[in-house]
Amino acid sequence: MNIGNMATGLAGLGLAAVIDLNCRVHSPGSRTIWRERDVIAFSGIAGTSLSLLQCIWEGRDVSARSVITLATNASILFYALQLPWGDPMRDFT
């Protein structure tokens, strides 16, 4: 399995986690919320790193697929960074 396929898979995993976090109704103290946030953060960091590696590997002839994968993973990473890390009044009461 090459780097581009792994980065694409992580982009899909991150997008699925974002959709699940935003569309499913969770109880306030649910561990599922934290699990989804962890998956989003991990896939954003690992996917962006692998996408950058793939773009560097391709050099000047970077493909459109690699650029789109990089943009998707970077968007997931930025989404993960803007998520609140915790609200004790809401999450643990």
Side-chain angles (χ1 to χ4, degrees):
M1 182 176 232
N2 67 13
I3 295 172
N5 288 341
M6 288 189 290
T8 304
L10 285 169
L13 179 68
L15 285 175
V18 167
I19 290 169
D20 190 41
L21 181 68
N22 289 325
C23 293
R24 188 187 295 180
V25 177
H26 299 287
S27 63
S30 175
R31 290 183 184 208
T32 308
I33 294 172
W34 296 104
R35 215 176 357 214
E36 295 296 331
R37 288 179 178 175
D38 291 343
V39 168
I40 293 168
F42 171 75
S43 66
I45 292 167
T48 303
S49 301
L50 289 174
S51 295
L52 279 172
L53 252 152
Q54 179 68 26
C55 288
I56 291 169
W57 183 269
E58 291 180 6
R60 289 182 177 250
D61 298 328
V62 122
S63 67
R65 178 183 178 201
S66 296
V67 173
I68 291 170
T69 304
L70 176 62
T72 305
N73 280 319
S75 299
I76 292 168
L77 177 62
F78 289 128
Y79 183 79
L81 292 175
Q82 64 90 26
L83 284 173
W85 286 103
D87 184 5
M89 299 303 292
R90 190 189 77 195
D91 292 335
F92 301 113
T93 56

